[in-house]
Amino acid sequence: MSFHAGTIEKGTGRASKLGFPTINILLEDESVSGIYAARVTVDGVSYNSAAYANRRRKLLEAHLLDFSGELYGREANIELLEKLRDDNVFDNDAALRAAIENDIQKARGYFGK
């Protein structure tokens, strides 16, 4: 497990275009990479999520399960609970979308334990 905190900032919007909006905070721990089941806390409310530690862009991106809304500018704490897979490069958006859907199902499975 590892804990990360930061101010939620706008990303490029690619995840949203694929159907999986994320919150983004700076990733300062370069030893973390890949996809995780994570717990995100914003304003005292916790959300189950699937998170991507993107070392190349130095961002920790989290898709909050069953949430929609704007959180830009707020402080977030992200706890990485269990690594689901390593980082991958995908040939196209369809392959990436399928991988993200699988990651979300794995995260839901983790929280369903």
Side-chain angles (χ1 to χ4, degrees):
M1 275 193 277
S2 64
F3 296 90
H4 307 269
T7 302
I8 298 170
E9 56 186 58
K10 281 192 180 264
T12 63
R14 183 170 187 214
S16 289
K17 288 175 188 162
L18 292 171
F20 309 100
T22 62
I23 64 164
N24 306 287
I25 65 172
L26 289 178
L27 178 63
E28 296 178 4
D29 181 353
E30 293 190 20
S31 70
V32 178
S33 68
I35 312 302
Y36 294 82
R39 184 157 294 114
V40 175
T41 304
V42 179
D43 296 334
V45 179
S46 292
Y47 304 92
N48 296 337
S49 70
Y52 171 37
N54 185 335
R55 289 196 316 199
R56 183 180 46 78
R57 293 184 51 221
K58 296 183 179 169
L59 282 179
L60 185 54
E61 306 173 45
H63 174 70
L64 283 55
L65 304 178
D66 307 313
F67 173 84
S68 67
E70 294 292 329
L71 297 172
Y72 297 122
R74 297 188 182 158
E75 293 298 310
N77 292 308
I78 301 177
E79 180 183 7
L80 301 180
L81 301 169
E82 181 174 291
K83 189 167 188 173
L84 302 175
R85 69 172 171 87
D86 289 326
D87 197 358
N88 258 342
V89 176
F90 296 92
D91 294 333
N92 56 56
D93 284 351
L96 176 57
R97 186 179 298 111
I100 294 171
E101 288 172 354
N102 190 50
D103 297 335
I104 289 170
Q105 289 308 313
K106 286 181 182 177
R108 287 188 187 282
Y110 173 85
F111 291 110
K113 289 182 186 175

Short mmCIF file of all heavy atoms in Angstrom, two decimals, residues 21-23 35-41 46-52 60-67 77-82 84 103-111:
data_model
loop_
_atom_site.label_atom_id
_atom_site.label_comp_id
_atom_site.label_asym_id
_atom_site.label_seq_id
_atom_site.Cartn_x
_atom_site.Cartn_y
_atom_site.Cartn_z
N PRO A 21 -13.69 8.99 -17.16
CA PRO A 21 -13.09 10.21 -16.61
C PRO A 21 -12.26 9.91 -15.36
O PRO A 21 -12.58 9.00 -14.60
CB PRO A 21 -14.30 11.09 -16.27
CG PRO A 21 -15.45 10.15 -16.20
CD PRO A 21 -15.14 9.00 -17.10
N THR A 22 -11.20 10.68 -15.19
CA THR A 22 -10.31 10.48 -14.05
C THR A 22 -10.07 11.79 -13.32
O THR A 22 -10.26 12.87 -13.88
CB THR A 22 -8.93 9.94 -14.48
OG1 THR A 22 -8.30 10.89 -15.34
CG2 THR A 22 -9.05 8.59 -15.17
N ILE A 23 -9.65 11.66 -12.06
CA ILE A 23 -9.05 12.78 -11.36
C ILE A 23 -7.55 12.57 -11.48
O ILE A 23 -7.09 11.43 -11.63
CB ILE A 23 -9.50 12.89 -9.89
CG1 ILE A 23 -9.03 11.68 -9.08
CG2 ILE A 23 -11.01 13.11 -9.80
CD1 ILE A 23 -9.08 11.89 -7.59
N ILE A 35 -1.37 -0.27 -12.82
CA ILE A 35 -2.79 -0.09 -12.51
C ILE A 35 -3.08 -0.72 -11.14
O ILE A 35 -2.62 -1.82 -10.85
CB ILE A 35 -3.68 -0.78 -13.57
CG1 ILE A 35 -3.25 -0.43 -14.98
CG2 ILE A 35 -5.15 -0.47 -13.32
CD1 ILE A 35 -3.24 1.03 -15.32
N TYR A 36 -3.89 -0.01 -10.34
CA TYR A 36 -4.18 -0.43 -8.97
C TYR A 36 -5.65 -0.32 -8.64
O TYR A 36 -6.34 0.55 -9.17
CB TYR A 36 -3.44 0.49 -7.97
CG TYR A 36 -1.95 0.40 -8.01
CD1 TYR A 36 -1.23 1.10 -8.96
CD2 TYR A 36 -1.26 -0.40 -7.11
CE1 TYR A 36 0.15 1.03 -9.01
CE2 TYR A 36 0.12 -0.48 -7.16
CZ TYR A 36 0.83 0.23 -8.10
OH TYR A 36 2.19 0.14 -8.16
N ALA A 37 -6.12 -1.15 -7.72
CA ALA A 37 -7.35 -0.89 -7.00
C ALA A 37 -6.96 0.15 -5.96
O ALA A 37 -5.92 0.01 -5.30
CB ALA A 37 -7.88 -2.15 -6.32
N ALA A 38 -7.75 1.22 -5.85
CA ALA A 38 -7.36 2.32 -4.97
C ALA A 38 -8.57 2.90 -4.26
O ALA A 38 -9.71 2.74 -4.72
CB ALA A 38 -6.67 3.42 -5.79
N ARG A 39 -8.30 3.58 -3.17
CA ARG A 39 -9.34 4.33 -2.46
C ARG A 39 -8.96 5.80 -2.52
O ARG A 39 -7.86 6.18 -2.14
CB ARG A 39 -9.48 3.86 -1.02
CG ARG A 39 -10.62 4.58 -0.30
CD ARG A 39 -11.17 3.82 0.89
NE ARG A 39 -11.82 2.58 0.46
CZ ARG A 39 -11.36 1.36 0.78
NH1 ARG A 39 -10.30 1.21 1.50
NH2 ARG A 39 -12.01 0.29 0.37
N VAL A 40 -9.89 6.61 -3.01
CA VAL A 40 -9.68 8.04 -3.15
C VAL A 40 -10.56 8.75 -2.13
O VAL A 40 -11.75 8.45 -2.03
CB VAL A 40 -10.03 8.52 -4.58
CG1 VAL A 40 -9.93 10.03 -4.69
CG2 VAL A 40 -9.14 7.84 -5.61
N THR A 41 -9.98 9.70 -1.39
CA THR A 41 -10.75 10.48 -0.44
C THR A 41 -10.65 11.95 -0.82
O THR A 41 -9.55 12.48 -0.98
CB THR A 41 -10.24 10.27 1.00
OG1 THR A 41 -10.27 8.86 1.30
CG2 THR A 41 -11.11 11.01 2.00
N SER A 46 -14.96 8.94 0.74
CA SER A 46 -14.09 7.96 0.09
C SER A 46 -14.80 7.29 -1.08
O SER A 46 -16.01 7.03 -1.01
CB SER A 46 -13.65 6.89 1.09
OG SER A 46 -12.80 7.46 2.05
N TYR A 47 -14.03 7.06 -2.14
CA TYR A 47 -14.54 6.43 -3.36
C TYR A 47 -13.63 5.26 -3.73
O TYR A 47 -12.40 5.40 -3.71
CB TYR A 47 -14.52 7.42 -4.53
CG TYR A 47 -15.27 8.69 -4.27
CD1 TYR A 47 -14.62 9.81 -3.75
CD2 TYR A 47 -16.64 8.79 -4.54
CE1 TYR A 47 -15.30 10.99 -3.52
CE2 TYR A 47 -17.33 9.97 -4.31
CZ TYR A 47 -16.65 11.07 -3.80
OH TYR A 47 -17.33 12.24 -3.56
N ASN A 48 -14.22 4.13 -4.09
CA ASN A 48 -13.45 3.04 -4.66
C ASN A 48 -13.07 3.45 -6.08
O ASN A 48 -13.84 4.13 -6.76
CB ASN A 48 -14.27 1.75 -4.69
CG ASN A 48 -14.62 1.26 -3.30
OD1 ASN A 48 -13.94 1.58 -2.33
ND2 ASN A 48 -15.67 0.48 -3.20
N SER A 49 -11.88 3.04 -6.51
CA SER A 49 -11.43 3.46 -7.83
C SER A 49 -10.44 2.49 -8.44
O SER A 49 -9.92 1.60 -7.76
CB SER A 49 -10.81 4.86 -7.76
OG SER A 49 -9.58 4.80 -7.08
N ALA A 50 -10.20 2.69 -9.72
CA ALA A 50 -9.09 2.06 -10.44
C ALA A 50 -8.13 3.20 -10.75
O ALA A 50 -8.56 4.24 -11.27
CB ALA A 50 -9.58 1.39 -11.72
N ALA A 51 -6.87 3.04 -10.40
CA ALA A 51 -5.90 4.13 -10.54
C ALA A 51 -4.73 3.69 -11.42
O ALA A 51 -4.32 2.53 -11.41
CB ALA A 51 -5.38 4.57 -9.18
N TYR A 52 -4.20 4.66 -12.15
CA TYR A 52 -3.07 4.44 -13.05
C TYR A 52 -1.92 5.35 -12.62
O TYR A 52 -2.05 6.57 -12.66
CB TYR A 52 -3.48 4.74 -14.49
CG TYR A 52 -2.37 4.77 -15.51
CD1 TYR A 52 -1.29 3.89 -15.44
CD2 TYR A 52 -2.41 5.66 -16.57
CE1 TYR A 52 -0.29 3.91 -16.40
CE2 TYR A 52 -1.42 5.69 -17.54
CZ TYR A 52 -0.35 4.82 -17.44
OH TYR A 52 0.64 4.83 -18.38
N LEU A 60 -0.80 10.58 -11.20
CA LEU A 60 -1.59 9.49 -10.66
C LEU A 60 -3.03 9.80 -11.05
O LEU A 60 -3.59 10.81 -10.63
CB LEU A 60 -1.42 9.41 -9.14
CG LEU A 60 -2.09 8.25 -8.44
CD1 LEU A 60 -1.69 6.91 -9.05
CD2 LEU A 60 -1.73 8.26 -6.95
N GLU A 61 -3.59 8.94 -11.91
CA GLU A 61 -4.92 9.15 -12.47
C GLU A 61 -5.85 8.11 -11.85
O GLU A 61 -5.53 6.93 -11.85
CB GLU A 61 -4.90 8.95 -13.98
CG GLU A 61 -3.88 9.81 -14.69
CD GLU A 61 -3.77 9.47 -16.17
OE1 GLU A 61 -4.82 9.31 -16.82
OE2 GLU A 61 -2.64 9.35 -16.65
N ALA A 62 -6.99 8.55 -11.34
CA ALA A 62 -7.93 7.62 -10.72
C ALA A 62 -9.32 7.78 -11.31
O ALA A 62 -9.85 8.89 -11.38
CB ALA A 62 -7.97 7.84 -9.21
N HIS A 63 -9.90 6.66 -11.73
CA HIS A 63 -11.28 6.63 -12.19
C HIS A 63 -12.12 6.21 -10.99
O HIS A 63 -12.01 5.08 -10.50
CB HIS A 63 -11.46 5.63 -13.34
CG HIS A 63 -12.89 5.45 -13.74
ND1 HIS A 63 -13.61 6.42 -14.39
CD2 HIS A 63 -13.73 4.40 -13.56
CE1 HIS A 63 -14.84 5.99 -14.59
NE2 HIS A 63 -14.94 4.77 -14.10
N LEU A 64 -12.95 7.13 -10.50
CA LEU A 64 -13.80 6.86 -9.34
C LEU A 64 -15.01 6.06 -9.79
O LEU A 64 -15.75 6.49 -10.68
CB LEU A 64 -14.24 8.17 -8.68
CG LEU A 64 -13.20 8.89 -7.81
CD1 LEU A 64 -11.90 9.17 -8.51
CD2 LEU A 64 -13.78 10.15 -7.23
N LEU A 65 -15.17 4.89 -9.20
CA LEU A 65 -16.27 4.00 -9.58
C LEU A 65 -17.59 4.61 -9.14
O LEU A 65 -17.72 5.08 -8.01
CB LEU A 65 -16.09 2.62 -8.95
CG LEU A 65 -14.75 1.93 -9.24
CD1 LEU A 65 -14.68 0.59 -8.52
CD2 LEU A 65 -14.52 1.75 -10.73
N ASP A 66 -18.56 4.60 -10.03
CA ASP A 66 -19.92 5.06 -9.72
C ASP A 66 -19.97 6.50 -9.24
O ASP A 66 -20.73 6.85 -8.34
CB ASP A 66 -20.57 4.13 -8.68
CG ASP A 66 -20.50 2.67 -9.12
OD1 ASP A 66 -20.82 2.39 -10.28
OD2 ASP A 66 -20.12 1.82 -8.30
N PHE A 67 -19.16 7.37 -9.85
CA PHE A 67 -19.15 8.79 -9.51
C PHE A 67 -19.16 9.62 -10.78
O PHE A 67 -18.52 9.27 -11.76
CB PHE A 67 -17.88 9.14 -8.71
CG PHE A 67 -17.72 10.62 -8.45
CD1 PHE A 67 -18.37 11.22 -7.39
CD2 PHE A 67 -16.95 11.41 -9.29
CE1 PHE A 67 -18.25 12.59 -7.17
CE2 PHE A 67 -16.83 12.77 -9.08
CZ PHE A 67 -17.48 13.37 -8.01
N ASN A 77 -6.64 12.45 -1.47
CA ASN A 77 -5.73 11.43 -0.96
C ASN A 77 -6.04 10.15 -1.72
O ASN A 77 -7.21 9.75 -1.79
CB ASN A 77 -5.93 11.20 0.54
CG ASN A 77 -5.50 12.40 1.34
OD1 ASN A 77 -4.39 12.89 1.19
ND2 ASN A 77 -6.38 12.89 2.19
N ILE A 78 -5.01 9.54 -2.28
CA ILE A 78 -5.19 8.31 -3.04
C ILE A 78 -4.34 7.23 -2.38
O ILE A 78 -3.13 7.36 -2.26
CB ILE A 78 -4.80 8.48 -4.52
CG1 ILE A 78 -5.66 9.58 -5.16
CG2 ILE A 78 -4.97 7.15 -5.26
CD1 ILE A 78 -5.31 9.88 -6.61
N GLU A 79 -5.02 6.16 -1.95
CA GLU A 79 -4.35 5.02 -1.34
C GLU A 79 -4.35 3.88 -2.35
O GLU A 79 -5.42 3.40 -2.74
CB GLU A 79 -5.10 4.62 -0.07
CG GLU A 79 -4.49 3.44 0.64
CD GLU A 79 -5.31 3.02 1.86
OE1 GLU A 79 -6.42 3.56 2.08
OE2 GLU A 79 -4.84 2.14 2.58
N LEU A 80 -3.18 3.48 -2.79
CA LEU A 80 -3.06 2.36 -3.72
C LEU A 80 -3.10 1.08 -2.89
O LEU A 80 -2.24 0.87 -2.04
CB LEU A 80 -1.76 2.47 -4.51
CG LEU A 80 -1.60 3.75 -5.33
CD1 LEU A 80 -0.27 3.75 -6.08
CD2 LEU A 80 -2.76 3.95 -6.29
N LEU A 81 -4.09 0.24 -3.15
CA LEU A 81 -4.35 -0.92 -2.29
C LEU A 81 -3.76 -2.21 -2.84
O LEU A 81 -3.18 -2.98 -2.10
CB LEU A 81 -5.86 -1.07 -2.09
CG LEU A 81 -6.54 0.14 -1.45
CD1 LEU A 81 -8.05 0.00 -1.54
CD2 LEU A 81 -6.09 0.29 -0.01
N GLU A 82 -3.99 -2.47 -4.12
CA GLU A 82 -3.50 -3.72 -4.72
C GLU A 82 -3.19 -3.49 -6.20
O GLU A 82 -4.04 -2.97 -6.93
CB GLU A 82 -4.54 -4.82 -4.58
CG GLU A 82 -4.08 -6.14 -5.16
CD GLU A 82 -5.07 -7.26 -4.87
OE1 GLU A 82 -5.20 -7.65 -3.71
OE2 GLU A 82 -5.72 -7.72 -5.84
N LEU A 84 -3.04 -4.28 -9.92
CA LEU A 84 -3.83 -5.14 -10.79
C LEU A 84 -3.04 -5.61 -12.00
O LEU A 84 -3.22 -6.73 -12.46
CB LEU A 84 -5.09 -4.40 -11.25
CG LEU A 84 -6.00 -3.90 -10.13
CD1 LEU A 84 -7.15 -3.08 -10.70
CD2 LEU A 84 -6.52 -5.07 -9.30
N ASP A 103 -9.68 -3.58 -16.22
CA ASP A 103 -9.10 -3.06 -14.98
C ASP A 103 -10.20 -2.67 -14.00
O ASP A 103 -10.11 -2.94 -12.79
CB ASP A 103 -8.22 -1.84 -15.25
CG ASP A 103 -7.02 -2.15 -16.12
OD1 ASP A 103 -6.57 -3.31 -16.15
OD2 ASP A 103 -6.52 -1.21 -16.78
N ILE A 104 -11.25 -2.03 -14.51
CA ILE A 104 -12.35 -1.60 -13.64
C ILE A 104 -13.07 -2.82 -13.07
O ILE A 104 -13.41 -2.83 -11.88
CB ILE A 104 -13.31 -0.67 -14.42
CG1 ILE A 104 -12.61 0.68 -14.66
CG2 ILE A 104 -14.63 -0.49 -13.68
CD1 ILE A 104 -13.34 1.60 -15.61
N GLN A 105 -13.25 -3.86 -13.87
CA GLN A 105 -13.88 -5.08 -13.35
C GLN A 105 -13.01 -5.71 -12.26
O GLN A 105 -13.53 -6.19 -11.25
CB GLN A 105 -14.15 -6.07 -14.48
CG GLN A 105 -15.28 -5.64 -15.40
CD GLN A 105 -16.55 -5.29 -14.65
OE1 GLN A 105 -17.00 -6.01 -13.76
NE2 GLN A 105 -17.13 -4.14 -14.97
N LYS A 106 -11.69 -5.72 -12.46
CA LYS A 106 -10.79 -6.26 -11.44
C LYS A 106 -10.86 -5.42 -10.17
O LYS A 106 -10.85 -5.96 -9.06
CB LYS A 106 -9.35 -6.29 -11.96
CG LYS A 106 -9.08 -7.38 -12.96
CD LYS A 106 -7.62 -7.33 -13.39
CE LYS A 106 -7.29 -8.36 -14.43
NZ LYS A 106 -5.89 -8.23 -14.88
N ALA A 107 -10.92 -4.11 -10.31
CA ALA A 107 -11.03 -3.24 -9.13
C ALA A 107 -12.35 -3.50 -8.41
O ALA A 107 -12.37 -3.61 -7.18
CB ALA A 107 -10.91 -1.76 -9.54
N ARG A 108 -13.44 -3.62 -9.17
CA ARG A 108 -14.72 -3.93 -8.54
C ARG A 108 -14.65 -5.27 -7.80
O ARG A 108 -15.19 -5.41 -6.70
CB ARG A 108 -15.84 -3.96 -9.57
CG ARG A 108 -16.24 -2.60 -10.09
CD ARG A 108 -17.49 -2.70 -10.99
NE ARG A 108 -17.78 -1.44 -11.63
CZ ARG A 108 -18.37 -0.40 -11.05
NH1 ARG A 108 -18.71 -0.49 -9.77
NH2 ARG A 108 -18.63 0.70 -11.70
N GLY A 109 -13.97 -6.23 -8.39
CA GLY A 109 -13.79 -7.53 -7.74
C GLY A 109 -13.01 -7.39 -6.44
O GLY A 109 -13.34 -8.02 -5.44
N TYR A 110 -11.98 -6.56 -6.46
CA TYR A 110 -11.19 -6.33 -5.24
C TYR A 110 -12.09 -5.77 -4.13
O TYR A 110 -12.04 -6.24 -3.00
CB TYR A 110 -10.04 -5.36 -5.52
CG TYR A 110 -9.31 -4.96 -4.26
CD1 TYR A 110 -8.29 -5.75 -3.76
CD2 TYR A 110 -9.66 -3.80 -3.58
CE1 TYR A 110 -7.63 -5.41 -2.58
CE2 TYR A 110 -9.01 -3.45 -2.41
CZ TYR A 110 -8.00 -4.25 -1.91
OH TYR A 110 -7.36 -3.91 -0.74
N PHE A 111 -12.90 -4.79 -4.46
CA PHE A 111 -13.75 -4.16 -3.45
C PHE A 111 -14.94 -5.05 -3.06
O PHE A 111 -15.50 -4.86 -2.00
CB PHE A 111 -14.22 -2.78 -3.90
CG PHE A 111 -13.08 -1.80 -3.95
CD1 PHE A 111 -12.61 -1.33 -5.17
CD2 PHE A 111 -12.47 -1.36 -2.78
CE1 PHE A 111 -11.56 -0.45 -5.21
CE2 PHE A 111 -11.40 -0.50 -2.83
CZ PHE A 111 -10.94 -0.04 -4.05
#
